[in-house]
Amino acid sequence: ASAAVAAGVAVAPAFAGDVGAGEQVFNANCAACHAGGLNSVEPEKTLQKDVIAKNLAGGFNEGAIKTQVINGKGAMPAWGDRLDDDEIESVAAYVFKTAGAGW
């Protein structure tokens, strides 16, 4: 990566999840409770940007979303043992982008 930086080539960010793949992971695994960025189990804990910022340790960023997906919290189960690393990074990228755009 340092050679790429020296050559002036853009380097991928630390979280390089595939948003399109993340949407598929979300629809297959998360939408049952979080369709449209809502929360059918705890309605006050939506996937809106400001709510994520308030409820996740670390605030509104892909790393905090990724941690939530891996470990779960409260009524949300952990997905770290059900999704692979690429799926987790991709669904975190999808939620981050989509929540940032207001669903």
Side-chain angles (χ1 to χ4, degrees):
S2 60
V5 172
V9 177
V11 177
F15 295 101
D18 178 324
V19 174
E23 182 177 13
Q24 293 177 343
V25 173
F26 184 90
N27 288 337
N29 298 282
C30 313
C33 296
H34 292 294
L38 300 176
N39 186 326
S40 64
V41 178
E42 295 186 52
E44 71 283 0
K45 294 185 177 177
T46 67
L47 297 182
Q48 301 302 316
K49 181 179 178 179
D50 61 327
V51 177
I52 292 172
K54 181 178 81 173
N55 287 317
L56 294 191
F60 182 70
N61 63 74
E62 285 186 50
I65 295 167
K66 184 177 168 182
T67 298
Q68 176 80 5
V69 171
I70 292 168
N71 299 319
K73 182 177 177 185
M76 182 176 159
W79 289 87
D81 61 347
R82 302 180 213 187
L83 300 175
D84 67 32
D85 291 346
D86 288 340
E87 290 171 321
I88 292 167
E89 285 193 22
S90 294
V91 78
Y94 171 74
V95 170
F96 180 76
K97 179 179 180 191
T98 308
W103 289 91

